[in-house]
């Protein structure tokens, strides 16, 4: 998710600039999907799984600015419900953070208010209705190779997608587990590319929830979906 929103930030700036010149680039369907697709990966606590070289601890709260603008662009696409959920989570954890500038300090300060951000000020609608959390449900991302089985209490995620080379981990058929009770078996993501432990541990099969045979590193292979419905997902990595 780290790289997805990194790219989306750049594209959003381009689209905003194009709009000022009368170009309606936001009407390209794939651009809207860049906002919609990640929402299907979010855990019930608001955090994204740290697949491959994603940073751990990335949550939807930190992406609220993207969805303030998305709701302005596409008011009938359900982004208001996502914003309501985001700000409900934020009120339980922290207020929105704003840049502060004093004589001796430039940094971030907790505003004490859930919906406090530059994006909300510039692009947000006047108020966001209370829509509650999205309903849980099983889903499949066939091209990315991610299958999710989910209900109110448990979320299990199976990764089986194509081999992605440079940022890929050797973890085909890795399983992530999240429970409402707080127990997790999560992907660790990355420690940063300058650390030796990135290749020595974080990208290896042993750092993931998969079977390891004779401590061997998994080959770079494409996974394959075999079966999926609301109660099961099966895949292999031949």
């Amino acid at each position: 998710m780290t790289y997805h929103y990194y790219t989306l930030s750049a594209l959003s700036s381009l689209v905003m600039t194009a709009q000022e010149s009368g170009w309606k680039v936001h009407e390209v369907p794939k651009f809207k999907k860049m906002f919609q697709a990640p929402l299907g990966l979010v855990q019930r606590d608001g955090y994204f799984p740290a697949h491959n070289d994603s940073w751990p601890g990335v949550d939807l709260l930190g992406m609220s600015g993207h969805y303030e603008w998305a709701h302005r662009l596409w008011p009938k696409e359900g982004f208001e419900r996502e914003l309501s959920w985001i700000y409900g989570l934020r009120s339980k954890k922290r207020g929105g953070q704003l840049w502060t500038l004093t004589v001796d300090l430039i940094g971030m300060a907790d505003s004490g208010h859930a919906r406090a951000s530059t994006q909300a000020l510039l692009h947000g609608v006047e108020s966001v209705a209370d829509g509650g959390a999205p309903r849980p449900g099983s889903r499949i991302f066939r091209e990315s190779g991610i299958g999710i089985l989910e209900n109110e209490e448990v979320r299990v995620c199976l990764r089986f997608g194509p081999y992605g080379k440079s940022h890929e981990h050797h973890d085909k058929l890795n399983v992530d587990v999240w429970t409402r009770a707080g127990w997790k078996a999560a992907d660790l993501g990355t420690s940063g590319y300058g650390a030796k432990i990135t290749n020595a541990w974080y990208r290896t099969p042993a750092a993931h929830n998969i079977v390891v045979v004779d401590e061997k590193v998994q080959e770079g292979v494409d996974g394959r979906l075999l079966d999926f419905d609301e109660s099961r997902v099966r895949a292999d990595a031949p």
Side-chain angles (χ1 to χ4, degrees):
M1 283 297 97
T2 310
Y3 280 110
H4 179 89
Y5 284 106
Y6 177 79
T7 302
L8 183 57
S9 295
L11 288 175
S12 296
S13 296
L14 176 64
V15 172
M16 288 179 189
T17 303
Q19 283 181 314
E20 294 300 314
S21 300
W23 294 88
K24 298 181 180 180
V25 185
H26 69 280
E27 295 181 355
V28 175
K30 287 186 177 180
F31 183 62
K32 188 193 325 182
K33 287 181 179 179
M34 291 190 71
F35 293 87
Q36 294 171 324
L39 299 175
L41 296 176
V42 183
Q43 299 168 169
R44 305 296 292 171
D45 59 1
Y47 284 89
F48 289 101
H51 293 158
N52 293 323
D53 277 347
S54 291
W55 288 111
V58 175
D59 61 4
L60 194 58
L61 282 68
M63 306 303 168
S64 60
H66 290 289
Y67 293 99
E68 287 282 2
W69 188 48
H71 180 45
R72 171 70 73 178
L73 288 177
W74 305 289
K76 297 181 180 180
E77 292 296 329
F79 291 117
E80 184 173 36
R81 182 188 64 183
E82 306 299 339
L83 282 172
S84 173
W85 184 38
I86 290 171
Y87 293 131
L89 290 169
R90 175 170 284 166
S91 65
K92 298 175 183 178
K93 296 183 179 182
R94 62 177 188 267
Q97 292 187 317
L98 296 174
W99 283 101
T100 60
L101 174 62
T102 63
V103 174
D104 57 356
L105 174 67
I106 299 177
M108 299 294 288
D110 193 323
S111 66
H113 300 279
R115 195 185 178 205
S117 69
T118 304
Q119 294 92 335
L121 176 65
L122 296 178
H123 309 299
V125 297
E126 184 173 345
S127 62
V128 175
D130 184 7
R135 295 181 62 183
S138 299
R139 48 204 180 273
I140 192 78
F141 296 81
R142 296 180 185 274
E143 291 79 11
S144 300
I146 300 173
I148 297 173
L149 304 179
E150 184 184 56
N151 58 30
E152 290 283 357
E153 301 299 326
V154 180
R155 178 187 186 275
V156 179
C157 176
L158 174 69
R159 292 190 59 245
F160 57 87
Y163 180 56
K165 297 184 179 180
S166 59
H167 288 295
E168 179 85 354
H169 290 196
H170 298 278
D171 66 339
K172 285 294 176 288
L173 307 185
N174 177 62
V175 175
D176 289 339
V177 181
W178 174 90
T179 68
R180 182 178 292 277
W183 186 85
K184 299 178 183 178
D187 198 323
L188 299 176
T190 184
S191 61
Y193 308 137
K196 293 182 179 180
I197 198 173
T198 299
N199 286 321
W201 174 253
Y202 279 84
R203 290 176 175 169
T204 67
H208 298 82
N209 299 315
I210 58 175
V211 175
V212 179
V213 179
D214 295 333
E215 300 183 5
K216 292 182 179 179
V217 174
Q218 188 183 87
E219 297 290 337
V221 297
D222 293 337
R224 180 177 59 183
L225 178 66
L226 300 177
D227 187 29
F228 172 78
D229 60 33
E230 288 292 315
S231 61
R232 68 175 182 173
V233 55
R234 293 193 305 127
D236 66 7

